[in-house]
Amino acid sequence: MGPHPAVAAIRLAVRRVLHDILIDHTRPPGESPLGPLVMVACSGGADSMALASALAFEAPKLGVRAGGITVDHGLQSGSDLRADDVVGRLVELGMAPVESLAVTVGRDGGPEAAARDARYAALDAAAERHGAAAILLGHTRDDQAETVLLGLARGSGIRSLSGMAEVSGAGGRYRRPFLHLDRQTARKACMVQSLSVWDDPHNADPAYTRSRLRHEGLPALEKALGKGVVGALARTAQLSRDDADALDAWARQAEASVRDTAGLLECAKLYALPPAVRRRILRRAAIEAGAPAGSLFARHIEEVDRLITGWRGQGVINLPGKVVAQRQGGRLVIRQS
């Protein structure tokens, strides 16, 4: 008799990702002869515990070492004890190395964004320190649907609607095996394997936007539109990502043709491009000039775009990161102020 369907589903998802990692992996000098190291970022919740159990089961069969990381954000009383407990559970699964990382969460961008930035910085450092080929993240189809809705609410364009990528980070470091699985599958897999899970109280705290969306927004949409909303939003993410990738490629190819011999952007040539391509070139130029990508919103790019499409003698446009954009003699100049 085979494993429970939920367990089989998560193991298959992890097995596929491990195969992809092995195909992409080039063994660096000094790597252990035991094979590449793949680590799981584990909070102790159902999604990441299901992921950890599947990685621990599948990795040895493929000649992969399985490790684990838990991040202590220090935002709740007893968070250090919770982190120690997660470490113990990962060790029981046979993982090595396993470690807990304590981080300091700043305030930039709000509490959720600040916690995410601190977490990924810690995970990046751990991957470098251990020489990990990849870090697995437990985001599910439900998380993807929430991300799409948050992007829609920000009005940030098709790239925001594309949600989370299955592969992201430097060199494809981050992998998300569960983006096609729902949250209940992961929870069921933990239950049938008697895996203890921790439910983060922040996930039910209405002070957090994602929590309100999860417990109020999505249920309301499902009540109004039917139970297929989460799946439809996840499909929207994939379709949007395909479109955004194609437009990004077009913009990269077109950029050289709209610059003069000095490398300045020519307004007339920019004007001739489709808006979606032109705005991508403007965004890329602003980031190259020093504007932080995470602080550069659609409204900023629209203001710069009006220097091309609605020129009425406007003055300097101020962008995040002390970057300014202005039109001078038919050229668009984007630079540090």
Side-chain angles (χ1 to χ4, degrees), residues 21 36 106 140 155 189 214 232 289 304:
I21 291 169
T140 65
R214 180 174 301 178
V304 178

Side-chain angles (χ1 to χ4, degrees), residues 76-95:
Q76 302 168 22
S77 176
S79 63
D80 55 336
L81 299 178
R82 187 275 309 165
D84 290 343
D85 179 63
V86 173
V87 167
R89 282 189 265 165
L90 296 179
V91 170
E92 287 176 4
L93 288 172
M95 292 186 165

